[in-house]
Amino acid sequence: MSLYAAETRRLVKRRFTRYFTLGAVLVLAAIAIAMFATNQQIGPAQTADAKAQAHADYQRSLDEATAYKQKCVAAKGTPDASSYPSNCDDLGVPTEDNFEARWYLPPTFDFRKKFPDLVTTLAALLSVVGFVIGASFVGAEWSSGGMANLLLWRPQRLRVLCAKLLAFLVSLTSLTVLLSAAWTGIFTLVAKYRGTTDGMTAGAWKSLGLMEARGLALVVVAGALGFGLASIGRHTAMALGVAIGLVIVFQFGLGTALALAKVKFSQAYLIPLWIEAWMKQKFVVEDYNSCNFSGTNGCEPDTFTITWHMAGSALAIAFVVIVGAALWTIRRRDIT
């Protein structure tokens, strides 16, 4: 059996891998069930009901406004007059245009509008799964002494680590592609029976496919980072500690400090915004401490756009630095 095949089998057979992946699948299933249960397909019956509710609310508001205006007129010259406007004619009454029927329609799943956010949800969840499983896969080998024993039989450090990394990333890619295809198919059915797929042209499907490809890249990079950090620290806790520290200390701490210091575009230092820019092609950060006055739009803040090219470059740099450091350390450090 080749080293790659052996490492793939080792990864798939691990109970942690199976249970953690199963947990992620159950979370995704819960999201899909909730979306199916909370949405409805809009038809003539729902439209008629919405119009009836809108008209009923309009009539109730009109009656209340008319009664209040009558009380205002009746209170003239009495002690209660101070509780009403001096000119009762200033009291307006609602019009039926203020109660649009579309506001009363039940929630419906518009595939084109809502599914992109669900693609981001899938990518974010699988990124966490990839990071944790990748860290555990190599971290457990180091902490248990399995890596040292393996290198006794295969004294080729780089080859062994690269085989582990390749087996993990190929398996993670396969899982992501499989779940992405199932995710798309499930919500296509949700839209068919609980919403609409209107507007899904060839261009829209192409854009969606590219977004899912960016999601796949995000998952692969997250998995490689977890693997690399655990390999550098030779323990799963190394990767998890870095992740927790990055979120709590760097993101919350630095974000709060920069906001208090009124640093321009302080939000641009937050990692989630870069991830959103990568998934949705761009994210516009606004500096509300600035004001560019316009005669038509009033006060407008300065803006800074994080593009998907910038976010992709950041992901590539992180991948190269962490994986490169893992390969360098296994080659240079003693195996103990």
Side-chain angles (χ1 to χ4, degrees), residues 28-52:
L28 294 175
I31 293 173
I33 292 172
M35 294 297 291
F36 185 87
T38 57
N39 286 276
Q40 297 182 34
Q41 195 168 47
I42 304 300
Q46 289 77 15
T47 301
D49 187 55
K51 289 180 179 180

Side-chain angles (χ1 to χ4, degrees), residues 2-12 137 150 160 163-164 167:
S2 68
L3 182 60
Y4 169 79
E7 292 302 330
T8 300
R9 186 174 185 276
R10 190 196 308 272
L11 172 66
V12 174
F137 180 46
L150 177 59
V160 168
K164 284 183 175 292

Side-chain angles (χ1 to χ4, degrees), residues 130-206:
F131 185 92
V132 175
I133 291 180
S136 173
F137 180 46
V138 70
E141 289 286 309
W142 280 114
S143 59
S144 66
M147 181 69 81
N149 291 332
L150 177 59
L151 290 174
L152 289 175
W153 298 97
R154 294 270 190 165
Q156 297 171 309
R157 301 183 179 191
L158 289 180
R159 183 180 177 185
V160 168
L161 188 65
C162 288
K164 284 183 175 292
L165 178 60
L166 181 61
F168 167 63
L169 293 184
V170 169
S171 299
L172 182 61
T173 298
S174 301
L175 175 66
T176 303
V177 171
L178 178 63
L179 289 180
S180 295
W183 196 241
T184 303
I186 288 171
F187 281 100
T188 300
L189 292 176
V190 171
K192 180 178 179 180
Y193 294 104
R194 295 285 183 165
T196 178
T197 57
D198 290 347
M200 290 305 297
T201 61
W205 281 110
K206 180 180 178 180

Side-chain angles (χ1 to χ4, degrees), residues 22 30-31 82 89 104 209:
L22 177 60
I31 293 173
S82 59
D89 291 334
Y104 296 83

Side-chain angles (χ1 to χ4, degrees), residues 18 29 59 86-87 146 164 172 214 235 251 257 279 328:
R18 292 181 174 183
Q59 195 62 52
S86 57
N87 186 1
K164 284 183 175 292
L172 182 61
R214 291 194 298 273
H235 204 287
Q251 291 298 283
M279 292 300 299
W328 184 86

